[in-house]
Amino acid sequence: MTQVIAPTPDADDAWFWKGVAEDRLLLQRCAECRLLRHPPSPMCSGCNALAWETLPASGRATVYSWVVSRHPTRPDADPRIVVLLDLEEGVRFVSNLVDCPLEDVRFGLPVELVFVDYDGVRLPQFRPARS
Amino acid sequence: MPASLVDQAAIVGIGQTEFSKESGRSELQLAAEASLAAIRDAGLTPADIDGLITFTLDTSDELLLMRALGLPEIRFWSRTPHGGAGSTTTILHAASAVASGAAKHVLVWRAFNERSGHRFGQPNAAAPPLGWNWYLPFGLDTPAKIYSLTFQRYMDAYGLTNEDFGRYTVVARKHAATNPNAWFYERPITLADHQASRWIVEPILRLLDCCQESDGGVALVISTAERARDLPQPLVRLRHVVDSHLMGGHVMFNYYLEDHSRFEECHSAAARLYGESGLTASDMDAAMLYENFSPVVFMQLEGFGFCGPGEARDFVRDGHIELGGSLPVNTHGGLLGEAYIHGMNNILEGVRQIRGQAVNQVAGARHVLVGGGRGAMILAGD
Ligand SMILES: [Zn+2]
């Protein structure tokens, strides 16, 4: 089975993981100049504003890069396809590709968001786009 | 007239322990042994050292090292962040300290039991460092996987295969084979050996694309070129040294800059290194390039302007980076062939080349570039 290390939310990303628990992929956006930022940051690099808001991602993305992750010391763990995605909103995001044979993975592959539970750890994941 | 104050510095002493897989002694002892060797190599005594620099990751405490070596008073100390990416930065710190007068003779060290103790190549466990929530839960738990996401785009952009990377490893092991300091002394490999090693991240990295995990320590003493003239070793001037870190970039998870087919920080470091020194890539007689993984050599060959974008594959294939080639690279065997002392052993080899003391000497080497990817220095003779 897939073995997942649970995230340990901190002061700057707890809101994100709360969103995941509610099946929402939230992005951080500056409340002043509307600049999207990921990974999140307490201050906007564009205008230095501290105020920010969340924007639910559409869940549409394309594969920018990918690797197959095989666990070096636990051969019983299922391999995972790790993807670096270009989210439709314009930020890069690391996730996993599920429901996709390895030979179908390619740069630019359109994917869509799904939420998957791994033994109690809920993660935003992506599968090849069906629509 | 130096391009900047730091160009007044010189590397006056180098020292090291043996490189092994199990040193059998503490990291503090390795640090002390390597440091004493560097101080003696410089023709100095411990009482001459008044500055200390190492990595934030180094476990040896400055005050304990002072007590081991017998350093009466330290007037300057600092540490550089981000592991091997800070290797060349230690020299920038040291040069700044001696140029400003904050210290006269600065000792830089890096020592660890990285094979018999804490191994960097093993998967990160729970309780990750801050910021790893974006990666660790998704399976990015080892440096090989983390870096491969960017290597994959570089390979795709220019049509490289893992076999192309293997040609670097063959050269590194060839150079190591004639270096008695190297872990892989007298153990060269063929490309077929490389291709027979197991996949670490298919189809990007095989085992023989990954740096070693090593136990050992190295140290250097930095002073001014003016003081260096009174010391016994041939003069090794710091012709120039730069660091370049870009917003949005990252040492490991460098995923957010637009174009992954180029090592952006390497290009920006190179622009300053050459622009500020008045030298060019063609002035370099050899290069020591940080390589936690073989693809980083290719990306730095392009970043430091030794060849154009996408040309590193042919540059390596055509033998330019071998002894006798137009730009011998990692003549000691590098981090794959000699040892992984976090990039610092590459700086020692640069010093030996300028002194004319390398076992694989590049005849008449006048300028050597030592690259840490996002930082670099040019070493020069008198
Ligand atoms: Zn803003």
Side-chain angles (χ1 to χ4, degrees):
Chain A
M1 64 174 282
T2 302
Q3 301 191 21
V4 169
I5 296 175
T8 50
D10 59 55
D12 287 320
D13 70 9
W15 56 271
F16 176 89
W17 297 105
K18 190 164 172 289
V20 169
E22 297 160 359
D23 282 4
R24 292 194 301 163
L25 179 64
L26 298 177
L27 299 174
Q28 190 185 45
R29 184 169 67 177
C30 176
E32 298 293 331
C33 76
R34 310 290 170 189
L35 185 71
L36 270 178
R37 51 189 198 250
H38 183 79
S41 163
M43 182 180 282
C44 174
S45 65
C47 74
N48 297 139
L50 290 168
W52 53 272
E53 59 203 16
T54 56
L55 174 78
S58 72
R60 285 186 291 274
T62 54
V63 172
Y64 180 77
S65 193
W66 57 276
V67 295
V68 181
S69 167
R70 290 187 166 82
H71 202 284
T73 54
R74 292 194 306 233
D76 56 317
D78 286 339
R80 300 166 78 187
I81 302 172
V82 184
V83 283
L84 179 58
L85 300 171
D86 279 323
L87 299 189
E88 182 180 62
E89 288 77 10
V91 291
R92 293 235 173 96
F93 186 83
V94 169
S95 182
N96 300 107
L97 190 58
V98 296
D99 301 333
C100 183
L102 192 51
E103 55 271 23
D104 290 353
V105 191
R106 57 181 171 83
F107 302 118
L109 180 75
V111 294
E112 63 188 23
L113 175 67
V114 290
F115 287 89
V116 180
D117 226 72
Y118 297 99
D119 202 15
V121 181
R122 197 157 187 78
L123 292 179
Q125 305 278 273
F126 287 78
R127 68 182 180 202
R130 294 174 183 178
S131 49
Chain B
M1 184 65 194
S4 81
L5 278 178
V6 297
D7 300 352
Q8 297 174 2
I11 299 178
V12 299
I14 55 173
Q16 64 170 85
T17 67
E18 83 288 358
F19 302 140
S20 73
K21 301 296 179 189
E22 186 163 11
S23 75
R25 51 209 196 275
S26 74
E27 294 182 330
L28 180 60
Q29 182 172 339
L30 293 174
E33 288 179 27
S35 296
L36 187 61
I39 293 166
R40 288 181 171 160
D41 178 72
L44 297 169
T45 68
D48 295 314
I49 301 298
D50 59 359
L52 288 177
I53 296 168
T54 188
F55 290 36
T56 52
L57 289 176
D58 199 278
T59 63
S60 291
D61 180 87
E62 286 82 352
L63 296 168
L64 294 181
L65 186 62
M66 284 175 69
R67 203 154 64 84
L69 290 168
L71 312 182
E73 185 186 11
I74 289 302
R75 303 191 295 155
F76 175 96
W77 65 25
S78 74
R79 289 186 175 231
T80 62
H82 284 293
S87 58
T88 57
T89 313
T90 59
I91 306 301
L92 176 56
H93 282 216
S96 304
V98 298
S100 68
K104 278 187 175 156
H105 301 291
V106 176
L107 175 71
V108 175
W109 88 89
R110 179 73 178 114
F112 54 16
N113 289 320
E114 202 270 317
R115 180 60 180 81
S116 65
H118 173 69
R119 299 174 63 182
F120 297 164
Q122 292 296 299
N124 259 74
L130 209 60
W132 281 56
N133 279 343
W134 309 111
Y135 315 107
L136 201 49
F138 303 98
L140 291 179
D141 54 2
T142 64
K145 296 178 201 174
I146 291 165
Y147 284 94
S148 286
L149 266 177
T150 54
F151 298 155
Q152 170 101 293
R153 289 300 309 211
Y154 173 73
M155 293 168 80
D156 179 67
Y158 300 118
L160 280 82
T161 65
N162 173 262
E163 191 176 278
D164 292 311
F165 296 144
R167 291 194 175 85
Y168 166 72
T169 306
V170 170
V171 172
R173 292 289 293 270
K174 182 181 173 185
H175 293 169
T178 51
N179 171 13
N181 276 335
W183 176 254
F184 287 117
Y185 177 52
E186 294 181 331
R187 282 186 283 173
I189 61 158
T190 64
L191 190 56
D193 295 331
H194 174 273
Q195 288 295 291
S197 70
R198 68 183 164 89
W199 283 113
I200 301 298
V201 184
E202 189 177 359
I204 303 155
L205 299 177
R206 293 182 184 272
L207 179 66
L208 292 181
D209 293 300
C210 305
C211 66
Q212 299 181 51
E213 295 180 299
S214 306
D215 286 12
V218 304
L220 307 95
V221 178
I222 287 81
S223 188
T224 59
E226 191 185 344
R227 287 190 201 101
R229 290 181 201 283
D230 299 329
L231 295 173
Q233 293 290 352
L235 181 64
V236 179
R237 285 188 303 140
L238 194 62
R239 187 61 176 70
H240 198 38
V241 56
V242 298
D243 246 18
S244 181
H245 311 289
L246 302 175
M247 188 183 78
H250 197 287
V251 168
M252 297 184 77
F253 307 102
N254 208 350
Y255 302 154
Y256 306 101
L257 299 177
E258 185 56 32
D259 183 2
H260 289 203
S261 70
R262 48 189 267 137
F263 189 167
E264 210 61 65
E265 289 92 343
C266 186
H267 284 267
S268 55
R272 294 215 354 264
L273 186 70
Y274 298 137
E276 293 168 4
S277 69
L279 295 168
T280 67
S282 61
D283 292 317
M284 301 303 127
D285 300 304
M288 308 304 148
L289 303 176
Y290 187 91
E291 12 78 283
N292 44 2
F293 301 103
S294 59
V296 183
V297 169
F298 293 71
M299 300 185 81
Q300 285 182 91
L301 285 171
E302 296 173 15
F304 286 120
F306 296 116
C307 57
E311 292 175 0
R313 175 180 57 179
D314 289 342
F315 193 80
V316 170
R317 192 200 302 246
D318 295 344
H320 288 285
I321 67 166
E322 293 183 39
L323 283 168
S326 65
L327 182 84
V329 170
N330 295 344
T331 46
H332 54 323
L335 309 183
L336 271 65
E338 187 185 60
Y340 181 73
I341 313 295
H342 238 159
M344 298 304 288
N345 49 319
N346 289 5
I347 306 176
L348 264 63
E349 177 68 1
V351 171
R352 286 187 292 256
Q353 285 291 350
I354 294 296
R355 286 181 177 181
Q357 297 173 350
V359 289
N360 296 320
Q361 184 63 43
V362 175
R366 292 178 58 238
H367 294 110
V368 174
L369 183 147
V370 184
R374 47 183 59 235
M377 73 190 81
I378 296 171
L379 301 176
D382 208 351

